[in-house]
Amino acid sequence: MATKGVGMANKGPAFGMSRHVQDKIDSKYDAELELVLVEWISRQCGAGVSKPEAGKMGFQAWLKDGCVLSELINSLFTAEKPVKKIQSSTAAFKQMEQISQFLNASEKYGVTKTDMFQTVDLWEGKDLAAVQRTLSALGSLAFTKDEGTYNGDPNWFFKKSQENKRDFSDDQMKAGKNVIGLQMGSNKGASQEGMSYGRSRQIL
């Protein structure tokens, strides 16, 4: 009998509910987005990074050791590079450590925790759609920041909405509180007289 799931490292066959859940997760993987992400990452990292085989398995294998991801995040920093050491290794813990460095650097760059994948999502292939989501968020952030490090097509990612921070002085804050106080005070003395709530219920 043929073995299912060949290519997913250290991953046994899934049965019953777990197989159903995995199928739903896999269905969220976007093959078209894969093409965009591969092209963008290749441009960002330069000629030193070769492109993967097409498809989800090739995409996972390309990123699994964390080296390409580390090259990517370093390319977005103009000054000090966040990932100091990028070294390919066949050791599982070294690969996961390299992925973790990418995730930490991405958070430092501005990617929110809700957009971040977990190391096992990539390394074990549990949720490659989540990996795509993180990389899309990173691409959008790089495009939005416009620091001269984004090396991609402007149509590939959406610009993130800029936070509109407003700085108020102490006097302005006090004035705002007074307005709220006056609004609350205008309700003082109000009564329920004359307000109709319908006929009261009679208990027999």
Side-chain angles (χ1 to χ4, degrees):
M1 185 175 178
T3 304
K4 291 184 179 181
V6 176
M8 286 290 193
N10 301 332
K11 197 177 178 191
F15 299 101
M17 183 58 74
S18 61
R19 176 73 266 173
H20 176 68
V21 171
Q22 189 61 49
D23 285 344
K24 286 189 73 174
I25 291 171
D26 290 344
S27 70
K28 294 179 182 178
Y29 185 83
D30 190 330
E32 289 185 11
L33 179 57
E34 175 197 307
L35 297 175
V36 170
L37 292 173
V38 166
E39 189 61 37
W40 174 55
I41 293 170
S42 299
R43 285 197 196 181
Q44 283 292 148
C45 297
V49 172
S50 59
K51 291 184 179 181
E53 291 183 19
K56 186 164 56 176
M57 303 303 298
F59 189 69
Q60 184 210 6
W62 189 47
L63 302 176
K64 185 179 171 182
D65 67 358
C67 291
V68 172
L69 292 175
S70 296
E71 294 282 2
L72 171 64
I73 193 65
N74 276 356
S75 74
L76 298 176
F77 283 78
T78 52
E80 190 176 356
K81 306 299 183 183
V83 181
K84 306 299 181 189
K85 189 176 182 182
I86 302 175
Q87 187 173 0
S88 181
S89 173
T90 56
F93 79 95
K94 285 285 188 183
Q95 292 181 348
M96 289 190 276
E97 186 181 78
Q98 196 80 58
I99 294 170
S100 294
Q101 288 187 62
F102 161 77
L103 292 172
N104 291 334
S106 295
E107 189 174 346
K108 180 181 177 183
Y109 188 70
V111 178
T112 61
K113 286 184 180 295
T114 53
D115 283 329
M116 208 77 77
F117 70 84
Q118 302 296 312
T119 301
V120 293
D121 291 337
L122 171 58
W123 200 84
E124 295 184 11
K126 284 185 177 294
D127 191 354
L128 294 176
V131 178
Q132 288 187 317
R133 185 172 64 246
T134 300
L135 292 171
S136 295
L138 185 62
S140 292
L141 199 56
F143 178 47
T144 304
K145 284 190 173 188
D146 195 21
E147 296 173 334
T149 57
Y150 176 74
N151 189 15
D153 192 294
N155 296 312
W156 283 347
F157 302 105
F158 289 107
K159 273 202 171 187
K160 286 186 174 289
S161 57
Q162 299 289 329
E163 186 179 359
N164 186 18
K165 290 188 176 181
R166 297 184 180 183
D167 296 320
F168 294 102
S169 66
D170 289 340
D171 289 339
Q172 287 173 318
M173 293 291 285
K174 287 176 185 176
K177 287 178 181 178
N178 289 337
V179 170
I180 294 170
L182 286 170
Q183 288 175 341
M184 292 178 68
S186 66
N187 292 327
K188 287 181 180 178
S191 71
Q192 295 177 348
E193 188 178 349
M195 295 178 70
S196 175
Y197 293 95
R199 294 179 60 184
S200 59
R201 184 180 177 190
Q202 294 181 342
I203 301 173
L204 300 176

